[in-house]
Amino acid sequence: MSNNLLNLAAVIWFFALWIGYASFARHRARISYSLSSVLQIYRKRWMQAMLRRENRIGDTALIAGLERQTTFLASTSIFVIAGLITIMASVDQVHVTLTALPFVNTEMTPRQLQFKILLLLAIYVYAFFTLTWAVRQYGFSSILLGAAPLHDDAEVTQEERGRYASSAAKVIDQAGHSYNYGLRAYYFSLSLLPWLFNAWLFILATTLVVIVLYRREFHSRPLQTLVSEVKAS
């Protein structure tokens, strides 16, 4: 009974940190610099520069590169989902194999293993839907690049160009957020692996994932470089 309560507490801690960090990151980005808030500034500058260029092949290639990067993770999610479904079909044999490994929790029942795999499966399904939505939004961005007014079109005012650049940057920014959510799902899915050994390790791994994400998003060296450039310009 105590083991089941510990596992339940670990799952609650897992979702509390995941959802709580996502909410915290969105709020913190509004009041201080983060990777997402700084990149939003650079995306707007990018779109403003794009409208002044005659040749926009490079801009199209950049969007295509971002789309390929996201598509890779989305495709990987499909393979992981297929593998997890295969494990679900033979959970008893997998349980016997796992419990024979060193340091694995031998008190884990096949039903508990099945629940852990189901949770992992749900995470990768979420990652797949989030990442494919990011791919679609990058596709929308490509259309916006194709429909952008020409650099020498005298009928388009500077105010209209500014609005168009802001709208295009916002679509790319939303795609970036969706990609970020999918990438976080990958990070948090890795914290489930120690659960095979011990629920306390699962709790510790989840906490470490949040610390890593926080440091990278709010205190990393790339962020400091990006912020210094924004302040200097």
Side-chain angles (χ1 to χ4, degrees), residues 93-222:
Q93 293 89 331
V94 174
H95 177 263
V96 172
T97 303
L98 283 176
T99 51
L101 296 175
F103 307 111
V104 172
N105 182 13
T106 55
E107 297 180 358
M108 180 177 57
T109 64
R111 187 179 295 274
Q112 289 174 338
L113 176 60
Q114 191 175 39
F115 174 77
K116 294 173 184 179
I117 296 171
L118 277 172
L119 181 56
L120 199 57
L121 182 62
I123 292 173
Y124 277 97
V125 168
Y126 165 79
F128 172 76
F129 277 101
T130 307
L131 291 167
T132 51
W133 178 231
V135 172
R136 288 197 65 190
Q137 290 179 93
Y138 281 127
F140 303 156
S141 305
S142 299
I143 295 173
L144 285 171
L145 258 65
L150 299 176
H151 72 289
D152 56 353
D153 191 345
E155 296 181 0
V156 182
T157 65
Q158 289 300 319
E159 183 180 354
E160 291 173 335
R161 291 180 182 274
R163 285 200 306 268
Y164 197 93
S166 297
S167 298
K170 189 171 183 179
V171 172
I172 299 174
D173 190 59
Q174 291 300 319
H177 282 302
S178 296
Y179 172 78
N180 196 24
Y181 295 150
L183 193 59
R184 279 182 195 163
Y186 269 80
Y187 276 100
F188 278 99
S189 70
L190 294 177
S191 68
L192 265 75
L193 297 179
W195 199 10
L196 298 174
F197 302 92
N198 188 281
W200 287 110
L201 288 178
F202 175 34
I203 293 173
L204 176 62
T206 305
T207 306
L208 288 176
V209 165
V210 171
I211 293 173
V212 169
L213 289 174
Y214 174 76
R215 288 185 59 84
R216 289 185 177 181
E217 192 160 357
F218 294 97
H219 296 285
S220 61
R221 290 184 179 179

Side-chain angles (χ1 to χ4, degrees), residues 8-169:
L8 179 60
V11 172
I12 293 173
W13 178 252
F14 173 79
F15 281 108
L17 285 190
W18 188 353
I19 298 171
Y21 177 76
S23 177
F24 164 79
R26 284 195 302 269
H27 174 73
R28 182 70 182 272
R30 297 190 187 103
I31 59 176
S32 65
Y33 286 117
S34 70
L35 284 176
S36 59
S37 62
V38 171
L39 287 176
Q40 184 178 13
I41 297 173
Y42 280 95
R43 288 177 182 123
K44 189 170 182 178
R45 289 183 179 179
W46 174 18
M47 290 297 101
Q48 290 171 343
M50 180 273 297
L51 290 176
R52 294 192 295 268
R53 280 194 280 268
E54 179 180 2
N55 188 336
R56 296 167 181 175
I57 296 177
D59 303 296
T60 306
L62 288 172
I63 291 292
L66 293 171
E67 189 174 352
R68 282 194 301 270
Q69 176 180 309
T70 310
T71 302
F72 170 76
L73 287 181
S75 302
T76 304
S77 301
I78 286 291
F79 291 122
V80 175
I81 290 170
L84 292 172
I85 291 174
T86 303
I87 293 174
M88 288 289 293
S90 55
V91 69
D92 291 329
Q93 293 89 331
V94 174
H95 177 263
V96 172
T97 303
L98 283 176
T99 51
L101 296 175
F103 307 111
V104 172
N105 182 13
T106 55
E107 297 180 358
M108 180 177 57
T109 64
R111 187 179 295 274
Q112 289 174 338
L113 176 60
Q114 191 175 39
F115 174 77
K116 294 173 184 179
I117 296 171
L118 277 172
L119 181 56
L120 199 57
L121 182 62
I123 292 173
Y124 277 97
V125 168
Y126 165 79
F128 172 76
F129 277 101
T130 307
L131 291 167
T132 51
W133 178 231
V135 172
R136 288 197 65 190
Q137 290 179 93
Y138 281 127
F140 303 156
S141 305
S142 299
I143 295 173
L144 285 171
L145 258 65
L150 299 176
H151 72 289
D152 56 353
D153 191 345
E155 296 181 0
V156 182
T157 65
Q158 289 300 319
E159 183 180 354
E160 291 173 335
R161 291 180 182 274
R163 285 200 306 268
Y164 197 93
S166 297
S167 298

